[in-house]
Amino acid sequence: MSQPPQAAGKTRLARKPRPIDEPATPTREAILRFVSEHPGKGTKRDIARAFEVHGEGRVVLKRILKELEGEGLIERRHRRFAEPGALPAVMACDIVSRDRDGDLYAEPAEWDADQGPRPRFIVVAVRRRRGEHGPSAGLGDRVLARVVDLPDGYEGLARAGLRVMKVLEKKPEGVLGILRVTDGGARLLPISKKQYEELVVDDADLGTAQDGDLVSVDIIRSGRFGLGRARVRDTIGNLRSEKAVSMIAIHANDIPYVFPEAVIREADAAKPATMADREDWRALPLVTIDPPDAKDHDDAVHAVADDDPANAGGHVVTVAIADVAAYVRPDSPLDREALKRGNSVYFPDRVIPMLPERISNDLCSLKEGVDRPAIAVRMVFDAEGRKKSHGFHRIMMRSAAKLSYVEAQAAIDGAPNDRTGPILDGVLKPLWAAYDILAAARDARGPLDLDLPERKVLLKPDGTVDRIVTPERLAAHRLIEEFMIQANVAAAETLEKRRTPLLYRVHDQPSLAKLESLREFLATLDMKIAKQGNLQPELFNRILERVEGTPQAYLVNEVVLRSQSQAEYSPVNIGHFGLNLRKYAHFTSPIRRYADLVVHRGLITALGLGDGGLPDGVEETLPRVAEDISAAERRAMQAERETIDRLIAGWLADRVGAIFRGRISGVTKAGLFIRLDETGADGFIPISTLGADYFAFDEARHALIGSRSGETYRLGDAVEVRLIEAAPFAGALRFEMMTEGRAGRPLGRAAALRAAKARKDRERKERMGKVRRGR
């Protein structure tokens, strides 16, 4: 007699023997066992198939199932039977962790604590037919998933398997919004209207919050009919304050900002590193050079003329980096939280750190006059700035001085103070001498040299905007930048030579579609870009040099920037196009970037520098780690940009109606983006408000052109605009154009259609190129 199917490693299903002419009747115990062990296969048909029940036996099976249900031993959920209190066959789950083998684990999104600890599930990959692609879920996603049998070999690691059906938009734990209190009651206007309607807040749930406050609330009842209700959890403050605005960005971009208790406990329990497995370099006068408001110092530098007669005119450069790997061990709570965050996020008056302050601002910060563990690279350069050799060391150091960029630069320029004067000749001048030869080698290498100054928002003590400045770019900034680049290159070379897994910092060359678009644009300026196979940054640098000091300089810099690819992390090396380097990795900021911590661990493993190296099996997890931290980097950039936009919009709200000078910073078929000269703020002019003419978008010229008049508004044009509306809540500004466009040739309807077709063709080529490159 054939036996019923069974799952690997599970008890064989039992059924009572029967005469050959009697319908099959599985035992009650067998049915209960099947329902328990197969949570995703509980329909009557599933049970009948498992026990080979046919014909009249189905009537008996139906009676037994009804009896079991009546006795409360099983319960019906839609068409399936399940154990009382068992999980549903389909449910919403949060993917909460990834093990060293790369397997994802999930927990139910909603769980009653009375049921015990949350069950754990492994996310099962499902083989599909050729050409089909299932939903791709990653760490932190909320998914709709079906419970399936555990794959072979996973017993004990998880309760069951999950097959992802759909990736859901994750519901935040708290809702952020503006409180509006009127005679009719209190309402919350959430910041994300894509997810929530207004919420009612009862008087008893207001706490100390008042009308106009930015608050965080918990939803206490969702509104199936009518509005939901909420309770104020925390009052954050005035919308114009930096704290409130940054919190909007944090919530909107789902940035983790509260460390779990386990992470804080581990950080607080950490002890200062000892001299074990370290060289004593405390006598070497390494110095830190950072912004004046820096709270953590993760890099220190030193340089001296090489005393080797065979390297006349050469220098020995040392870069020491905080040894974060000494405190953050693989798969510890600190490590898992750091990977989840990916990097620190910087706002105008606060930092969301990757690591707790006990680690980032204390034990790992290279404080002046304090013993600190570090990993140092000593590099020897010849008189032309070519590197002759390098070596890595695990050391104990003691910073000789904590300097700011301005302070160090002033000393070199002839104005030392009490701090820099004593170390000017012995420490600072040798640093600048070494930088001179490295700068010459950098110019010979020819990295991409864009001139795009960055704005910085300065705040008042109350957190509102004081002013917006463009900090001067000093030689001190370039010195530290070049020393860090050289250290990063040395790390990549060492790990690649030792065949040790690492995360490269890669930057692909521009795509063919973007290059073609750039050629069409430059042709409108009577400039050409050669069609050559071996594309180099120097090609773009020559273009930028031709327009330097001309009215087109801003325009060309912007267009060249937009033609570039975005840098990212990858375990596969394709080089760094922008820096014109074949091997490059991030090594110099492990306090604020997880990628650098991975590189530190690789160096420890490759060179036998003690504890804290790479975990086993890291090669399999690096592709996913690279994806996660690249996404975290983009998330941080978005949050930082949104915060600045909201702060500036709030600052300008009192100046509605004022006229500003600016430049056209973007041109789309919907209108013009304007960047103000005074503040660097960005706003929009809808195309419908430009005038009586019909304006068409010419992508090749980056312009809007009147179909009858030929009036032209082009990227980079200097204009005057009137501020019509400022929306601090959205970080948006709307302008009215006050300047007439430049005279031009009418585009005409036929030309406008051709331009639109060319744009669509380029977009199609770009999509096809990404598919071919596997992106």
Side-chain angles (χ1 to χ4, degrees), residues 558-569:
E558 282 281 347
V559 177
V560 169
L561 174 64
R562 296 176 190 193
S563 71
Q564 303 303 308
S565 302
Q566 186 171 18
E568 59 186 2
Y569 295 104

Side-chain angles (χ1 to χ4, degrees), residues 187-199:
R187 298 280 183 92
L188 184 88
L189 281 61
I191 65 169
S192 180
K193 293 184 178 179
K194 293 181 180 179
Q195 298 179 18
Y196 295 100
E197 299 293 336
E198 291 184 9
L199 298 168

Side-chain angles (χ1 to χ4, degrees), residues 173-326:
E173 295 180 358
V175 179
L176 205 67
I178 301 297
L179 190 67
R180 296 301 184 201
V181 181
T182 64
D183 293 339
R187 298 280 183 92
L188 184 88
L189 281 61
I191 65 169
S192 180
K193 293 184 178 179
K194 293 181 180 179
Q195 298 179 18
Y196 295 100
E197 299 293 336
E198 291 184 9
L199 298 168
V200 175
V201 183
D202 293 333
D203 291 344
D205 295 323
L206 283 174
T208 60
Q210 299 179 2
D211 180 52
D213 282 347
L214 179 70
V215 296
S216 173
V217 303
D218 294 315
I219 297 178
I220 55 178
R221 184 173 64 80
S222 297
R224 196 169 183 184
F225 302 101
L227 297 177
R229 295 187 176 273
R231 178 186 298 113
V232 173
R233 175 200 293 179
D234 185 29
T235 301
I236 297 171
N238 184 278
L239 183 60
R240 292 195 183 186
S241 73
E242 194 279 334
K243 179 184 177 183
V245 174
S246 64
M247 283 300 294
I248 291 177
I250 288 167
H251 278 252
N253 292 279
D254 199 22
I255 294 175
Y257 69 99
V258 177
F259 285 107
E261 291 184 7
V263 175
I264 296 298
R265 285 197 301 269
E266 184 181 0
D268 290 343
K271 305 296 183 183
T274 67
M275 287 297 302
D277 298 316
R278 299 186 186 279
E279 301 173 43
D280 190 348
W281 285 24
R282 287 176 288 186
L284 187 70
L286 290 151
V287 296
T288 62
I289 305 178
D290 294 293
D293 55 352
K295 295 181 179 180
D296 57 70
H297 309 275
D298 54 9
D299 59 83
V301 294
H302 178 267
V304 65
D306 193 356
D307 57 6
D308 184 354
N311 189 31
H315 284 75
V316 178
V317 173
T318 301
V319 175
I321 306 298
D323 188 0
V324 177

